[in-house]
Amino acid sequence: MKLSSPSLALFVALASPLFALSSEISSASRKTQEDSFLCTLHRRVFKTTPGYSVPDEIGCSSADYSRRVVINGDLDAFLGSGGYAFGSTMLSIPESLIVDEAVDLSADGAAGSIVVSSQDSRSNRGVEHRTGTWKVLVVRVIDASGVSPTPTAAELSTAVFSESGTTMNSQFKACSANQLSFTPATGTGVTDGVVDVTLDISLAGTDKGLVYTAALAKVAALTGIDKTFTYIVSPEGPTFCDASGSCTLGYADSPGEVSVYYNEYGTDPTTNVHEVGHNLGLDHSTLNGEEYGDPTGQMGNSGNDNGEICFNAPHTYFLQWFSDYHEDLNPTTTAYSGELVPTNDVATGLIGASQDYILKISQILTGSCTDTPSNWISEYDEDCAYYAAQGGESYCYDWGHLTDVNGVKAETACCICGGGSTSPINLYVSYNKAEGIHSAMNEDYRAAYGNAVTIYSSTPSNGLSALLGGLTTSGQKYTHTDWDGSGNDLIIELCEITTGSPDTAKVIVYVNGVTTASCSSTTPAPVASTPAPVASTPAPVASTPAPVASTPAPV
């Protein structure tokens, strides 16, 4: 229909307010988008000197990592436990709630305005990066005062990428049997994977987190950069150390693609592999409540700066490099009798088809409570069972405040005292032998764990794991009481350790009164199989078996 001039005038008059309103809505929508920070959730995890601990820090980073906002508050309560995933969940945060590059989840207006926007297209990067060849950009940071890292660009390139000696790249290749490796990034100004960036500010006295965002802002301005991981080396200046001399050696997004190193620790293979382990999604590994206590893997206390050690059983299970040799077991339905082969012999292709590398023992929760840690013992040598025998709740009322050597109270550890855990527990069992590519073990722990069947708990497998015990002599047992609420005990028994090619540890696992296994039963001879992928560099190094501990580890 063709409108006459009066009709057209009337239409325009009536429509103009609608166009204006539509324009205002569109403008408001754009303003809302422009006034919100879109970012991906990350957990920053720190590696420190022994005896020193820095709490994890939750942050939200822009796509190019050049901006990061610290998240303060209870994320589980805010988004719901399990309602987010680090490294993949993206948030939209109103700029009005961001103060000094931090946001308080309890602030007025936070609820309902901070929303989950989407999942990062690079989600699950810890899993994505477990295998393959990935490019790393090493960023050597120079501040405005001209202060630069002690290691030269050439030294950093060698420490990260060389296949000669023990480096970050060579150790990952060895531990994964060539399934994971790192090569130099390329781009303008990049030489052998390393680039110098000069900041516009002095770093003297600044927080150690500033070097992360300041360096990445400079990297974002570079052209033609082809990389996956970014490896930042800070000079002296930022507060990596406190007045007592306790230091943060490095930190990383977990999972993520960025790690930061304090000056000379940029060339330390132990720190390098540890931090990139966090990038892959691995947490720390503990012993007796000490965060870095586990001496059997990179995410704990290897105690040797040459870095020639791989990962413990639960973390290796998560990395899935040798999944053909993982055995999953529900001991309430099936007992286990078999041979376990240590890391060096698995990675160098000596394991046979009938042998195993890691045994995962799954608990199917039936509403029961588990004493946590299961080997808790008070300063007066009283365990949780003793508390129960002495009257349970009444005894806990009087003595629940007593602690173990790590300061954990009975009322926190013991189910009878209202503590413990009701979460399902997964145990992981492996034969840990300090040799070859896995030889750099803390000397203080070699007798107990350097040639032992080791037992760990971890839920999930890449989470905070705990070394629970080690079996070094034939007939020695690890007992987990009241397995899965059945009233029956889980038994893990070492039958014998045999030196050979490969070395083996015969182990049986059963639940008392439910399933049965015996060390006297014959174990089938290993069947020849296609060897596991063989690392090109390391050769097995013969070692003398560690001394046998005279007293069994507490169970």
Side-chain angles (χ1 to χ4, degrees), residues 171 308-309 344 348 433-440 538-543:
Q171 192 60 22
E308 202 168 16
I309 192 169
N344 183 76
T348 53
K433 187 168 186 179
E435 64 175 351
I437 64 170
H438 191 67
S439 61
V541 177
S543 64

Side-chain angles (χ1 to χ4, degrees), residues 69-96:
V69 170
V70 175
I71 306 291
N72 294 318
D74 188 340
L75 198 59
D76 282 345
F78 193 84
L79 295 179
S81 180
Y84 62 92
F86 293 122
S88 59
T89 298
M90 298 184 72
L91 299 182
S92 177
I93 306 174
E95 291 286 356
S96 59

